[in-house]
Amino acid sequence: MEGCKMKQSVQYRAFKKEDVKALVRVIIESWDYDKIFSKKVARHFAHLFLYSELSRKTFARVAEVDGEALGVIIADVKGKDKQFKDRFYFLKAVWHAFQLCLSKEGRSLLKHQGYGTMVNNKEMLNSLNESFDTEVALFAVSPRAQGLGIGSNLFKYFLDQMKEKRIEKFFLYTDTTCNFGFYEHKGLKRQTAVERYIPQPVDKTIEYYIYKGTVS
């Protein structure tokens, strides 16, 4: 009927390698990479981010909307196997990092947003003096899929997996560029906060957080 919006079909399933292209787009849309960086740098940085997390994933779940992957949650159970569980994705991440090194914009992004954030996150985690069983490594839902309950359903899948594996607590990194209010709504507690200015090409001050969650 004219003027009525068709109901969208959402399916939740395991991650497939064919999802990479769609999930790169989700990352770019979710964090506005295409508005902050040049198109080429945005694409390489999104690939680097995704492949880095895929290289160490323990499990992953994808939300498919009308045949397109529009949401993903990836988690890493600490101390299980080795750090890089999938060398294919690790090598892919290295290749995209190399491509970023070929431009001034890309090198600056790697130094300040990439390496700088990694060091910052490690310092925050060490300051807590607490060990965690699991990290939510990547959690993203495309703005095009808002209102479908995808974020809540993916997070429920993660919690169900935690219960099944008898894992009691987990943590995640987030910041003011993300919808961190979602985690507070789900009962997670902020453990620490650090503010940093990120130079060009980001050129903004970002506050970084660690949130802790428990499974009852």
Side-chain angles (χ1 to χ4, degrees):
M1 181 182 297
E2 187 177 354
C4 294
K5 186 176 181 180
M6 293 180 62
K7 185 177 180 180
Q8 293 175 291
S9 173
V10 184
Q11 294 183 332
Y12 298 91
R13 56 168 175 77
F15 166 82
K16 298 185 295 188
K17 288 183 179 181
E18 293 78 11
D19 295 324
V20 166
K21 183 177 180 180
L23 293 180
V24 164
R25 185 180 179 189
V26 168
I27 291 172
I28 290 173
E29 293 174 340
S30 297
W31 285 284
D32 292 327
Y33 283 1
D34 55 341
K35 297 178 182 177
I36 303 172
F37 318 131
S38 66
K39 184 177 180 180
K40 185 175 182 180
V41 165
R43 181 171 57 85
H44 284 305
F45 194 57
H47 274 90
L48 172 60
F49 185 14
L50 179 60
Y51 282 135
S52 295
E53 306 310 338
L54 286 173
S55 73
R56 62 191 183 97
K57 71 179 175 63
T58 302
F59 55 85
R61 194 73 168 175
V62 165
E64 181 182 291
V65 182
D66 295 336
E68 182 182 2
L70 292 182
V72 64
I73 188 164
I74 296 174
D76 175 26
V77 177
K78 299 300 179 181
K80 186 172 182 179
D81 302 323
K82 53 190 175 182
Q83 182 179 4
F84 298 109
K85 301 176 178 65
D86 194 316
R87 292 186 179 276
F88 171 80
Y89 292 125
F90 173 66
L91 292 174
K92 285 283 190 179
V94 171
W95 187 86
H96 284 283
F98 174 75
Q99 295 301 311
L100 287 169
C101 288
L102 298 180
S103 69
K104 181 179 179 180
E105 179 189 11
R107 290 192 297 272
S108 179
L109 182 59
L110 280 177
K111 178 180 178 181
H112 300 292
Q113 180 73 356
Y115 179 74
T117 297
M118 181 178 68
V119 171
N120 179 75
N121 287 347
K122 184 176 181 180
E123 290 176 350
M124 285 198 301
L125 188 60
N126 289 340
S127 72
L128 297 181
N129 195 28
E130 181 178 4
S131 62
F132 291 93
D133 304 305
T134 297
E135 176 188 352
V136 178
L138 173 60
F139 185 26
V141 178
S142 169
R144 291 179 286 133
Q146 288 183 351
L148 300 178
I150 287 176
S152 292
N153 287 331
L154 285 174
F155 200 71
K156 182 180 183 302
Y157 164 77
F158 165 71
L159 293 177
D160 289 343
Q161 289 289 304
M162 295 280 287
K163 291 178 183 177
E164 184 178 316
K165 297 176 184 295
R166 297 183 178 181
I167 295 173
E168 297 181 353
K169 61 181 179 179
F170 61 93
F171 80 102
L172 56 86
Y173 300 108
T174 188
D175 56 60
T176 47
T177 68
C178 306
N179 180 20
F180 59 87
F182 173 89
Y183 302 118
E184 296 180 353
H185 178 69
K186 294 299 180 181
L188 279 70
K189 303 298 182 183
R190 185 184 300 178
Q191 302 299 294
T192 187
V194 174
E195 192 176 82
R196 288 182 62 238
Y197 170 71
I198 309 297
Q200 293 290 349
V202 179
D203 191 25
K204 68 188 300 184
T205 297
I206 298 175
E207 193 167 38
Y208 294 86
Y209 310 123
I210 288 180
Y211 275 82
K212 174 184 175 181
T214 56
V215 180
S216 57

